[in-house]
Amino acid sequence: MNARDLGNAFPAAAADGSATADAARVPQKISPAFSAYLDLVRFCAAMTVLIAHLIEQFPVPFPVPLHGKDAVIAFFVLSGFVVAFVADTKERTPGPFLFSRATRLSSVFVPALILGLLLMPLAGQKNWLSPHVLGPAVGASVVNAFYLGQNWFLDITPPNNNPSWSLNYEAWYYLIFAGAVFARGAWRWPVALLLGACAGPKILILMPCWIAGVWLYRYGNKFTLSNRNAVLLFLASIAAYLVYLALDLNKDIRTELHAHMPALIDSLGWSNRFAGDYLLCGIILANFIAARDMTAIFARTMIRYSTTVKWLAGYTLSIYLFHDPLIAVFGHQLEPLHLGRFEAPIILALLIPSIMLLASVSELQLSRLRKGLRKLLARNPQPHFSAS
C-alpha cells in the first residue's frame, strides 16, 4: 500500500460532513456469502480468545495451538473493513458515526467493567473493600470506560478483564478514522494527526492492521479473482497461517527485535510483537480476498447457514469481554473440588449460558439502548442527530 493508496483509503468529507465527496466512487457491494463469512470469522475469533485464555489458566491433557492475540489481529482487519463500509453507506456524517461506534463498544464494555468490579470477591480478591484494593480497581475501570487505558505507554487493566486492551485501541482507531474522513478541507489530516498523537505509539503501531481492512473495502472492487485462483489463495492462506503458528514466528520475530532494541520493545506492551502481527495481517487479508471471490460450494454453504452464523456473531463482543471475569469466578469457586483435567471443560460449559445471559441484557439490547439515547438527545434544545 503506497502513500497515495493510504490517503485514498480515507476519503475526504463533502461540505456537509458526508464521507462521500468522491461522487464517482460507488460503494462496494458485499455479497451475502462474504458477509456470512465475516460473521463466522468474528465468532470464531471471539471463541479463540475465550478458549486460549481458558487453557492458559486450566491446562488440558492435549495441546491446543490457539493464540488469542492472533484473533485480535483478525478483529482489527475485520473492524477496519466493516467501519469503512458503514461510513460509506449508513453512518455518512460524524454524528451518527460516532454515536453508533460509541454505543456499539460501550453497550458491552461498560457492563463488563462493572461486572469485573462486582465479581472481585467471588474471584478470590482478598480485602476487596479496602481502599487500597477497591480504589485502584475502580480507577482502572473508569479510565478504561473512557478508552484511555493504553494511551502512549500506559497499561491500565481493569480487574479480571485483560482483553480490554484491544477495546482501547479500537476506540482510537474509530476516532482517527472519523477525523480523517469527516473533518473538512485543510483540517482533515491535522485533526487525524492530533488524534493519533493523543493515542500514542502503542496504539498507532498496530493501526496498519486496522487500515488493511479499510483498504480492502476501498479497493476490493478494483480487482477480482477467478473461483479457481480464489480457492488456491484461500488454501494458501490457511497453510501460511499453520506454518506461522507451528513455527511460532511471532515470538521469534519479537525475540529478534528485542535483542536489538530491548527498551523500545518492552515499552510497547500489547504491541511488542508488531512485526509478526504485520505478517499475520497479510495472511488474514489474503484470506479475506480469497473468501470474497470464492463461489460454488463455498458461497452456497455460507448463504445456507448465514442465519445461524449471524445469530452466533451477535454474541461476539459479549464472548470477548465477559469471559475473563467469569473464568476467574468459576475457577476460584471450583478450585476446592480439585477437578483436574475436567476443570476446563466444566468451566467452558458454565461460560456459555452465562455469557448468553449477560448478552441478553447488554449486546442484544443495543437497538433499544440507541433508541433510548436518541429520545434523550431529542429533548435537548440543541440540534441533534439520528443514527441507524
Side-chain angles (χ1 to χ4, degrees), residues 234-291:
F234 187 85
L235 295 176
S237 67
I238 298 297
Y241 178 66
L242 292 177
V243 171
Y244 174 91
L245 196 62
L247 298 180
D248 207 358
L249 291 179
N250 204 321
K251 181 180 178 181
D252 289 346
I253 295 172
R254 189 261 182 195
T255 301
E256 184 66 23
L257 289 174
H258 188 269
H260 292 87
M261 49 185 80
L264 173 62
I265 298 302
D266 288 340
S267 70
L268 291 177
W270 293 101
S271 302
N272 65 11
R273 298 188 179 189
F274 66 92
D277 292 336
Y278 292 164
L279 176 59
L280 176 60
C281 172
I283 295 172
I284 294 168
L285 195 61
N287 180 267
F288 284 2
I289 291 171

Side-chain angles (χ1 to χ4, degrees), residues 219-234:
Y219 289 93
N221 57 355
K222 303 292 185 181
F223 58 90
T224 56
L225 303 175
S226 67
N227 182 63
R228 177 179 176 276
N229 289 338
V231 171
L232 290 175
L233 181 60
F234 187 85

Side-chain angles (χ1 to χ4, degrees), residues 1 29 44-45 51 78 240 248 301 332 360:
M1 186 187 306
K29 293 182 179 180
C44 290
I51 295 173
L78 176 57
D248 207 358
T301 302
H332 180 70
S360 70

Side-chain angles (χ1 to χ4, degrees), residues 109-354:
F109 195 28
V110 171
L113 293 172
I114 295 172
L115 185 70
L117 289 171
L118 295 178
L119 294 182
M120 285 172 63
L122 295 178
Q125 177 63 59
K126 297 179 180 179
N127 302 318
W128 71 282
L129 285 176
S130 166
H132 300 292
V133 176
L134 187 60
V138 171
S141 298
V142 171
V143 168
N144 276 270
F146 287 95
Y147 305 99
L148 299 172
Q150 297 294 321
N151 289 55
W152 279 83
F153 299 110
L154 293 177
D155 188 10
I156 302 174
T157 304
N160 302 314
N161 211 320
N162 282 332
S164 64
W165 71 269
S166 69
L167 271 291
N168 287 266
Y169 282 52
E170 189 89 10
W172 282 96
Y173 296 157
Y174 294 165
L175 286 173
I176 295 167
F177 176 86
V181 170
F182 297 115
R184 300 180 182 181
W187 286 103
R188 181 186 179 203
W189 288 112
V191 169
L193 291 173
L194 177 61
L195 290 168
C198 292
K202 282 173 56 179
I203 293 175
L204 291 179
I205 203 166
L206 287 186
M207 193 171 182
C209 299
W210 196 87
I211 292 175
V214 178
W215 178 87
L216 178 59
Y217 171 76
R218 289 283 294 161
Y219 289 93
N221 57 355
K222 303 292 185 181
F223 58 90
T224 56
L225 303 175
S226 67
N227 182 63
R228 177 179 176 276
N229 289 338
V231 171
L232 290 175
L233 181 60
F234 187 85
L235 295 176
S237 67
I238 298 297
Y241 178 66
L242 292 177
V243 171
Y244 174 91
L245 196 62
L247 298 180
D248 207 358
L249 291 179
N250 204 321
K251 181 180 178 181
D252 289 346
I253 295 172
R254 189 261 182 195
T255 301
E256 184 66 23
L257 289 174
H258 188 269
H260 292 87
M261 49 185 80
L264 173 62
I265 298 302
D266 288 340
S267 70
L268 291 177
W270 293 101
S271 302
N272 65 11
R273 298 188 179 189
F274 66 92
D277 292 336
Y278 292 164
L279 176 59
L280 176 60
C281 172
I283 295 172
I284 294 168
L285 195 61
N287 180 267
F288 284 2
I289 291 171
R292 181 201 63 189
D293 292 339
M294 284 199 296
T295 56
I297 296 176
F298 176 83
R300 289 197 297 269
T301 302
M302 286 292 99
I303 294 173
R304 180 178 181 181
Y305 295 103
S306 60
T307 301
T308 300
V309 170
K310 185 176 182 179
W311 176 77
L312 291 172
Y315 291 91
T316 298
L317 198 54
S318 296
I319 294 170
Y320 187 77
L321 288 174
F322 288 135
H323 77 269
D324 223 29
L326 292 175
I327 287 175
V329 170
F330 294 143
H332 180 70
Q333 296 301 317
L334 293 175
E335 186 178 4
L337 300 180
H338 304 290
L339 297 172
R341 68 178 61 184
F342 297 105
E343 193 163 15
I346 290 174
I347 292 176
L348 180 60
L350 294 171
L351 282 174
I352 301 304
S354 300

Side-chain angles (χ1 to χ4, degrees), residues 323-388:
H323 77 269
D324 223 29
L326 292 175
I327 287 175
V329 170
F330 294 143
H332 180 70
Q333 296 301 317
L334 293 175
E335 186 178 4
L337 300 180
H338 304 290
L339 297 172
R341 68 178 61 184
F342 297 105
E343 193 163 15
I346 290 174
I347 292 176
L348 180 60
L350 294 171
L351 282 174
I352 301 304
S354 300
I355 290 173
M356 293 181 70
L357 178 62
L358 290 167
S360 70
V361 295
S362 58
E363 186 168 17
L364 300 183
Q365 299 300 319
L366 179 58
S367 60
R368 290 188 178 183
L369 172 65
R370 286 174 172 170
K371 183 178 180 180
L373 287 175
R374 285 198 295 266
K375 287 183 177 180
L376 183 63
L377 291 170
R379 297 175 184 174
N380 192 317
Q382 299 300 318
H384 61 276
F385 55 82
S386 61
S388 58

